[in-house]
Amino acid sequence: MNSAISVKRFVKSYGSNLVIDDVSFDVQKGEIFGLLGANGAGKTTILECCDGLRKYNSGDIVLNGEIGVQLQSSSLPSHITVK
């Protein structure tokens, strides 16, 4: 089975503050995947990098198709209407 998401040796820092160091995981097609950790562990940062919302320092993120992400807090631009 091919991976839907593959993250290998992911590293993210803000300046000299290393916040995520050498994280790797695969999510298979059709698999339900949960990313668990304490506050500040980097869960949202990893998802934002997978979705292209944030840049990361090193590692590989491979998406086999598109992913949908609903972040904990989000908003739409004010000019968008229901119509």
Side-chain angles (χ1 to χ4, degrees):
M1 189 187 299
N2 293 332
S3 295
I5 302 171
S6 180
V7 176
K8 300 293 183 210
R9 303 196 59 106
F10 179 86
V11 175
K12 174 65 178 158
S13 63
Y14 294 100
S16 62
N17 187 19
L18 180 63
V19 294
I20 302 172
D21 186 18
D22 196 22
V23 170
S24 298
F25 62 87
D26 289 299
V27 180
Q28 301 303 318
K29 287 183 178 180
E31 181 178 26
I32 296 172
F33 179 81
L35 192 57
L36 303 176
N39 288 344
K43 303 173 299 290
T44 299
T45 298
I46 291 172
L47 290 177
E48 287 175 346
C49 290
C50 287
D51 203 32
L53 298 173
R54 186 176 302 273
K55 294 184 181 196
Y56 54 99
N57 298 85
S58 64
D60 294 306
I61 297 174
V62 178
L63 304 178
N64 188 3
E66 295 182 9
I67 63 170
V69 174
Q70 176 59 55
L71 301 175
Q72 188 171 358
S73 61
S74 61
S75 62
L76 296 173
S78 60
H79 69 276
I80 293 180
T81 64
V82 175
K83 194 176 184 183

